Amino acid sequence: MSVNLPESLATFDTEYCADSLEFYPFNDTQRFLVGTYQLLKDGNAQANQEELTSSDATRVGRIYVCDAIDTDGGMRIIERQRIETSAIFDIKWSYNNVDGKHLAGVACADGSLAIYSANNQSDAEFLSPVCTNIASSMCCSLDWSNRRVSTSTPRVVTSYSDGQLQLLQLSESSLTEVCQWQGHDLEAWIAAFDYWTPDIVYSGGDDARLKGWDTRIGPHPVFNSRRHQAGVCSIQSNFHREHILATGSYDEHVFVWDTRNMRMPVQEYNVGGGVWRLKWHPNDATQLLVGAMYNGFHVLDVGEKVACSASFMDHTSIAYGADWCQAQKSGSEDMLVGTCSFYDHVVHVWRNPKA
């Protein structure tokens, strides 16, 4: 399979280091959120981020609300809103309405999981806070239980830098803890639901362990995999095909699993650079978007064999945040993709050619 090399259509400077990007999945729009993570020393945001350590700096962040606008000459990105926060590790939308609201969760370095509500009547005040849960260590990731089934009381799973995992329930604009347990010996970088059986949660940590949990039976893993050779950073259940799970690690490998047998993956692919983010295509069960840290962004075709169908290599720093746009341009089968990178604090939007 030949590898497509898409061109950047537009860029946006986030000023702070960028590490998460999520398109708004409603209203046929090209709106997206960007999360940033910056270390401040003596209040100086311009200090060299690669030389600072967290011990001598303060972690701050910012949420951007942006629109990718098609123009006669191509595309441009317009900032609509910015919200000052603690440093951000992760942002994820609830893909189903919750009591008629469009909600996004934001995981922050101060230990907070913040829930925001979208207001389509205002660009400048598009996001407004709903509620917050605070933990004692950095909140590294979140996931929503309601990707496939709508509910007024969805659950949110979070992971923390002390290895803890937490299951929360959202009801009437407040978060309530369902349970919390020690999942990993080191940082728990990622936690994710099985979208087909939301009682099942998967987690990955800096201890190179991939674990599965049945939240109905207590804090004992139903499997504890050592197949990855380094920290497990990304997990996503395939919401098109039951029993299919993708995982990624610092070991540079993407594994595809059949969750009925977690002894070994059914497919694997070395993307190079380390794997921080995995996103299944919104409409195609075989397309997987990969943020490969030190080796750019890639689209994998997960068929009988795994092959790389596209690579976007314009970022000059660590490739972290990535997402597919849910809206599709009229007359085009190419999907808009947004990606962001860390020390160069830049967002690119580009189109993935139809295979």
Side-chain angles (χ1 to χ4, degrees), residues 161-163 182-188 207 209 211:
S161 59
D162 62 358
Q182 190 70 38
H184 294 268
D185 295 332
L186 299 172
E187 291 90 341
D207 53 9
R209 300 297 182 92
K211 298 184 181 183

Side-chain angles (χ1 to χ4, degrees), residues 88-101:
I88 294 169
F89 278 99
D90 194 15
I91 299 176
K92 287 191 177 77
W93 286 101
S94 164
Y95 275 73
N96 274 297
N97 294 342
V98 179
D99 285 336
K101 297 178 181 178

Side-chain angles (χ1 to χ4, degrees), residues 6-46:
E7 295 182 356
S8 178
L9 301 174
T11 63
F12 176 74
D13 184 353
T14 60
E15 300 175 4
Y16 290 175
C17 301
D19 62 8
S20 52
L21 187 150
E22 290 278 312
F23 276 98
Y24 181 51
F26 305 99
N27 294 13
D28 195 31
T29 179
Q30 294 178 168
R31 175 160 291 183
F32 59 89
L33 308 182
V34 184
T36 63
Y37 184 114
Q38 192 84 354
L39 295 176
L40 295 187
K41 185 173 183 180
D42 300 326
N44 178 18
Q46 305 306 314

Side-chain angles (χ1 to χ4, degrees), residues 16 18 35 44 47 82 94 99 107 140 175 177 188 258 283 304 336 346:
Y16 290 175
N44 178 18
R82 64 172 66 184
S94 164
D99 285 336
C140 298
L175 288 163
E177 182 181 299
D258 183 328
N283 306 315
E304 292 185 6
L336 187 68
V346 68

Side-chain angles (χ1 to χ4, degrees), residues 232-347:
V232 179
C233 309
S234 189
I235 302 170
Q236 194 177 45
S237 170
N238 189 317
F239 40 86
H240 302 293
R241 296 169 59 196
E242 192 174 4
H243 308 305
I244 300 300
L245 183 75
T247 65
S249 165
Y250 289 137
D251 68 9
E252 305 185 348
H253 283 79
V254 174
F255 287 164
V256 179
W257 306 80
D258 183 328
T259 58
R260 292 166 293 188
N261 180 3
M262 293 297 293
R263 295 183 64 184
M264 61 184 301
V266 293
Q267 293 172 305
E268 64 180 89
Y269 192 89
N270 187 334
V271 295
V275 180
W276 184 257
R277 190 61 73 225
L278 295 170
K279 295 285 185 68
W280 290 105
H281 192 287
N283 306 315
D284 188 335
T286 66
Q287 298 290 297
L288 183 64
L289 178 61
V290 182
M293 297 182 69
Y294 295 96
N295 194 37
F297 294 92
H298 308 278
V299 177
L300 301 184
D301 181 26
V302 185
E304 292 185 6
K305 296 182 178 180
V306 181
C308 183
S309 62
S311 293
F312 184 79
M313 305 300 290
D314 286 16
H315 290 272
T316 59
S317 183
I318 308 173
Y320 276 147
D323 200 17
W324 306 92
C325 181
Q326 306 294 304
Q328 201 158 352
K329 185 177 180 180
S330 178
S332 173
E333 294 185 331
D334 297 346
M335 294 294 294
L336 187 68
V337 176
T339 50
C340 66
S341 46
F342 203 65
Y343 295 120
D344 58 353
H345 44 84
V346 68
V347 170

Side-chain angles (χ1 to χ4, degrees), residues 167-184:
L167 186 64
L168 302 160
Q169 184 147 17
L170 180 66
S171 180
E172 297 181 354
S173 298
S174 66
L175 288 163
T176 304
E177 182 181 299
V178 177
C179 55
Q180 183 169 344
W181 67 100
Q182 190 70 38
H184 294 268

Side-chain angles (χ1 to χ4, degrees), residues 194-223:
D194 186 312
Y195 295 134
W196 297 80
T197 309
D199 290 315
I200 302 297
V201 168
Y202 305 110
S203 66
D206 214 46
D207 53 9
R209 300 297 182 92
L210 169 65
K211 298 184 181 183
W213 312 88
D214 188 332
T215 59
R216 297 165 294 191
I217 63 174
H220 307 289
V222 294
F223 69 83

Side-chain angles (χ1 to χ4, degrees), residues 142-167:
L142 76 128
D143 197 18
W144 295 84
S145 66
N146 59 342
R147 180 69 185 242
R148 297 190 68 255
V149 179
S150 181
T151 173
S152 61
T153 56
R155 291 185 170 188
V156 181
V157 65
T158 50
S159 68
Y160 296 91
S161 59
D162 62 358
Q164 292 276 317
L165 303 172
Q166 187 176 40
L167 186 64

